[in-house]
Amino acid sequence: MKKLTAVFLSAFLMTMPVKAEQAGIDFTKKLADDIIVNVLSANISDEEKLKVFHDRFKEDLDIQTIGKRVTGTYWKKATPKEQEEFLAAFLDFTTKSWADKFNLYTGQKINFTGIQAAKSGQFFVSSAVEGNPPAEVLWRIKKSGDSYKITDIVIEGVSMVTSYRNEYVAFLYKNGGKLSSLTEELKRKSASFSFTKK
Amino acid sequence: MKKNGLIFLTCASLFVMGCAIKPTDPIALQAYEEANDPLEPFNRAMFETNMLLDTAILKPVAKGYRAITPVFVRQGVSNFFDNLKQPGYFVNSLLQGEGQTAFDISRRFLANTLLGLGGLFDVASDMNIPVHTNDFGETLAVWGWEKSEPYIVWPLLGPSNPRDTIGAGFNMALSTAELSVIDEPMVRYGIWALDTVQTREKSIEFIESLEKGTTDLYATVRSMYRQNREKKINKATGTLENQGVSAYDFDFDDEE
């Protein structure tokens, strides 16, 4: 009986990571499908696309983890209020600058190819965007309670988080290291985007 | 000889003047080390110059090219230049010992040259022949020169490093040799100019959105160039296959 229990228990434990991995792929696939259907291919104005995309990014992006990483050692120097203001400006600016690239999408399909473990207890979900050669897109995800959050997107080897970090650390280095100066710059740049209304 | 020495001295002093000063503040020092760009003042000056030239000449010409040509003509021109680059990719694949890649490239070149009217039509893609790109910088990496610093921005040529600068020189020599079958120098320059313009035309929107979406275009381009180059080098040397995603796998907790 003991032997049988052990067999069942090990079989159960072996399926756990598989289930977690499949759930991670399902989450990423659903997110990509939703963005393609409800944003990229949707018959709505650019302004409405931005709103849907912003809400989706806010819900599914781990902005706290990303914000901390992209500001490097300057994060710790800032007050909690400055950090909070930065995160709001960063989310707003990121969604607008991504939305500005929506017209580069020309209907390519995304095929999800697998998942592998990453540092900090996270995962990379691999996908390929149709084309010859296909473009590789990796979605870095983190399990957060029962759901998942995106912590990075790597397109053809270029990590969104690493790129923002290299840019923001360079900006802060040149501008006296005050996080508030970066927040102001992001707000100023955000205002330069314009999206057509219906 | 005297003249060459003078040019060397001028370049050397420009480089020295263009070297970044190491900060003493620990946080600034960390930012400086992360940038890993000891020639930053020189590089930024070159980058600004290139951007000025792009804004004043290349971008308007690329926009003009788009305005006067229909999409199918631009597609044909793009296919033609892609095809023209295949012999260079083929040579580098052989130098890297990549037999299967060299075979794919030769099939692609033959299909597009013979069936695609000299490369104007990409029939090879319809035949599911895979696309491969290659350069001598990657070949040097396969031969052992995997890491190459410092980051350098060259006038007109843009972002590079010592290994890829030599690589670009070799690639240029290869394409010059290829074009040497054309006797008339003006035609050769015309082909080179058209390739530059049609390449720039394809990235009009991407570069515009990049400019709008950054607080420091120089730092963004430096970061993207390095990351994308690292991926290509790792793929060429087999590091990517051996180590999976490790090139982008940083630890989010390492600043705790």
Side-chain angles (χ1 to χ4, degrees), chain B residues 88 91-92 95-96 134-143 163-172 174 229 233:
Chain B
V91 170
N92 278 299
L95 292 173
Q96 291 168 29
N134 227 326
D135 61 62
F136 195 62
E138 289 173 41
T139 301
L140 290 173
V142 171
W143 289 353
R163 179 200 59 221
D164 293 338
T165 301
I166 294 171
F170 182 84
N171 296 330
M172 258 187 259
L174 263 184
R229 198 64 196 145
I233 294 295

Side-chain angles (χ1 to χ4, degrees), chain B residues 11-21 32 35-47 149-154 160-162 165 218 222 226:
Chain B
C11 290
S13 13
L14 266 176
F15 258 135
V16 173
M17 283 192 297
C19 285
I21 300 160
Y32 169 86
N36 188 21
D37 187 4
L39 300 173
E40 187 166 344
F42 170 84
N43 286 340
R44 277 194 185 267
M46 289 306 113
F47 183 77
E149 299 290 346
Y151 176 71
I152 312 167
V153 181
W154 293 115
S160 195
N161 56 49
T165 301
Y218 170 81
R222 178 179 64 194
R226 276 179 165 158

Side-chain angles (χ1 to χ4, degrees), chain A residues 7-197:
Chain A
V7 169
F8 273 119
L9 192 64
S10 38
F12 173 72
L13 286 172
M14 273 164 70
T15 60
M16 272 180 69
V18 176
K19 273 186 182 168
E21 287 177 5
Q22 190 53 49
I25 295 175
D26 292 345
F27 157 77
T28 317
K29 195 173 177 314
K30 187 173 184 318
L31 174 67
D33 286 347
D34 283 355
I35 289 173
I36 289 173
V37 173
N38 300 323
V39 182
L40 295 173
S41 311
N43 187 22
I44 51 175
S45 71
D46 287 351
E47 200 181 44
E48 285 167 311
K49 281 184 182 181
L50 174 67
K51 195 189 171 307
V52 177
F53 185 63
H54 181 276
D55 292 347
R56 199 64 213 252
F57 240 35
K58 193 174 179 182
E59 192 185 318
D60 290 323
L61 214 63
D62 187 348
I63 201 72
Q64 176 83 23
T65 301
I66 296 171
K68 200 171 153 187
R69 173 79 192 171
V70 298
T71 48
T73 40
Y74 294 103
W75 177 262
K76 278 192 231 161
K77 270 181 71 183
T79 64
K81 189 170 179 285
E82 284 172 335
Q83 292 172 347
E84 198 183 317
E85 283 172 355
F86 166 74
L87 291 179
F90 176 54
L91 179 68
D92 186 48
F93 179 71
T94 312
T95 48
K96 280 181 177 163
S97 62
W98 277 62
D100 194 50
K101 297 183 184 78
F102 284 166
N103 59 357
L104 299 178
Y105 176 77
T106 50
Q108 298 92 334
K109 281 186 187 138
I110 304 178
N111 299 310
F112 285 83
T113 48
I115 189 165
Q116 43 191 316
K119 284 179 183 163
S120 314
Q122 302 181 5
F123 297 97
F124 276 112
V125 175
S126 324
S127 67
V129 180
E130 265 188 347
N132 191 4
E136 185 194 65
V137 179
L138 299 174
W139 311 70
R140 188 168 178 164
I141 55 169
K142 171 186 171 183
K143 198 160 192 318
S144 176
D146 287 339
S147 64
Y148 287 89
K149 294 261 186 197
I150 298 280
T151 54
D152 196 7
I153 299 171
V154 185
I155 303 170
E156 279 298 302
V158 179
S159 145
M160 176 186 86
V161 170
T162 302
S163 303
Y164 281 132
R165 180 182 169 110
N166 292 156
E167 175 195 336
Y168 293 164
V169 168
F171 179 91
L172 289 161
Y173 175 59
K174 280 196 301 169
N175 291 276
K178 291 284 288 175
L179 194 60
S180 55
S181 65
L182 178 59
T183 305
E184 286 313 307
E185 180 63 9
L186 292 179
K187 283 182 184 168
R188 191 187 68 76
K189 295 271 306 182
S190 282
S192 69
F193 288 105
S194 64
F195 297 94
T196 53
K197 295 175 185 176

Side-chain angles (χ1 to χ4, degrees), chain B residues 146-192:
Chain B
E146 286 188 41
K147 299 273 173 208
S148 182
E149 299 290 346
Y151 176 71
I152 312 167
V153 181
W154 293 115
L156 305 175
L157 295 175
S160 195
N161 56 49
R163 179 200 59 221
D164 293 338
T165 301
I166 294 171
F170 182 84
N171 296 330
M172 258 187 259
L174 263 184
S175 61
T176 308
E178 203 182 337
L179 286 180
S180 65
V181 292
I182 301 166
D183 288 332
E184 186 56 54
M186 288 312 283
V187 176
R188 290 204 297 268
Y189 297 143
I191 289 176
W192 175 82

